Amino acid sequence: MILILSGKYQGEEDFAKRKFPGLTLSKKNVSDFSYDISDDIDAAASELAERVLSKKSDVIFCHIMGCGVVPVDERQRFHAELVGRTSCILAAKADEVWVVRAGIGSRIK
């Protein structure tokens, strides 16, 4: 599995289509999956990672959330933390991890 991390609208899908022709691209970004606020953020991240992996995509997209900016709203804070922890789980399981900015990819794993 290949994980591509990016901000929104950074050309990640076009990059993936060019770089990995013929591979199955995820139809849904990790940050777009629904979730319930939980007291156990680690369990929620593990569950979300399993839901993402169950889709059997070769390439998974995950938006980088906030880059250190902490949202004031509790639900937004939980969402940012959940996506961040989930991306760590997916990165550990991935064969390759890429960061895409302005349509340019850099391999970090």
Side-chain angles (χ1 to χ4, degrees):
M1 175 265 289
I2 298 167
L3 177 64
I4 296 180
L5 305 168
S6 69
K8 286 191 175 191
Y9 315 114
Q10 291 295 310
E12 60 275 12
E13 283 190 47
D14 288 338
F15 168 80
K17 288 175 186 175
R18 284 191 317 271
K19 183 73 177 170
F20 310 109
L23 294 185
T24 304
L25 307 181
S26 61
K27 294 183 180 3
K28 196 172 190 180
N29 193 290
V30 172
S31 65
D32 294 332
F33 276 77
S34 62
Y35 61 92
D36 292 318
I37 291 184
S38 165
D39 290 334
D40 189 347
I41 188 86
D42 290 318
S46 293
E47 178 185 317
L48 179 55
E50 290 306 315
R51 286 174 52 207
V52 170
L53 292 170
S54 74
K55 302 296 182 192
K56 305 289 185 200
S57 299
D58 298 319
V59 180
I60 295 171
F61 300 104
C62 184
H63 288 142
I64 299 169
M65 307 289 295
C67 295
V69 177
V70 180
V72 175
D73 179 75
E74 179 184 2
R75 185 163 181 82
Q76 290 175 337
R77 276 196 312 273
F78 184 86
H79 181 67
E81 184 73 18
L82 177 63
V83 171
R85 289 184 189 214
T86 302
S87 70
C88 291
I89 293 168
L90 295 172
K93 294 180 180 199
D95 299 310
E96 297 179 26
V97 179
W98 291 77
V99 175
V100 175
R101 294 276 192 229
I104 299 169
S106 299
R107 186 174 176 177
I108 60 172
K109 176 183 174 184

